[in-house]
Coordinates of all heavy atoms in Angstrom, one line a residue:
Q15 N 9.3 118.5 -103.3 CA 9.3 119.3 -102.1 C 8.2 118.8 -101.1 O 8.4 118.7 -99.9 CB 9.1 120.8 -102.4 CG 9.2 121.7 -101.1 CD 10.6 121.6 -100.4 OE1 11.6 121.5 -101.1 NE2 10.6 121.4 -99.1
E35 N 9.3 109.0 -74.7 CA 9.6 107.7 -74.0 C 10.8 107.9 -73.1 O 10.7 107.4 -72.0 CB 9.9 106.6 -75.1 CG 8.7 106.1 -75.8 CD 9.1 105.0 -76.8 OE1 10.1 104.4 -76.7 OE2 8.2 104.8 -77.7
S145 N -16.3 96.9 -55.6 CA -15.0 97.4 -55.3 C -15.0 98.4 -54.1 O -16.1 98.9 -53.7 CB -14.4 98.2 -56.5 OG -15.2 99.3 -56.8
R176 N 7.5 103.4 -42.9 CA 7.6 104.8 -42.4 C 7.7 105.7 -43.7 O 8.1 105.3 -44.7 CB 8.9 105.0 -41.6 CG 9.0 104.1 -40.4 CD 10.4 104.1 -39.8 NE 11.3 103.5 -40.9 CZ 12.6 103.6 -40.8 NH1 13.2 104.2 -39.8 NH2 13.4 103.2 -41.8

Side-chain angles (χ1 to χ4, degrees):
Q15 185 58 46
E35 285 179 21
S145 64
R176 302 169 299 165

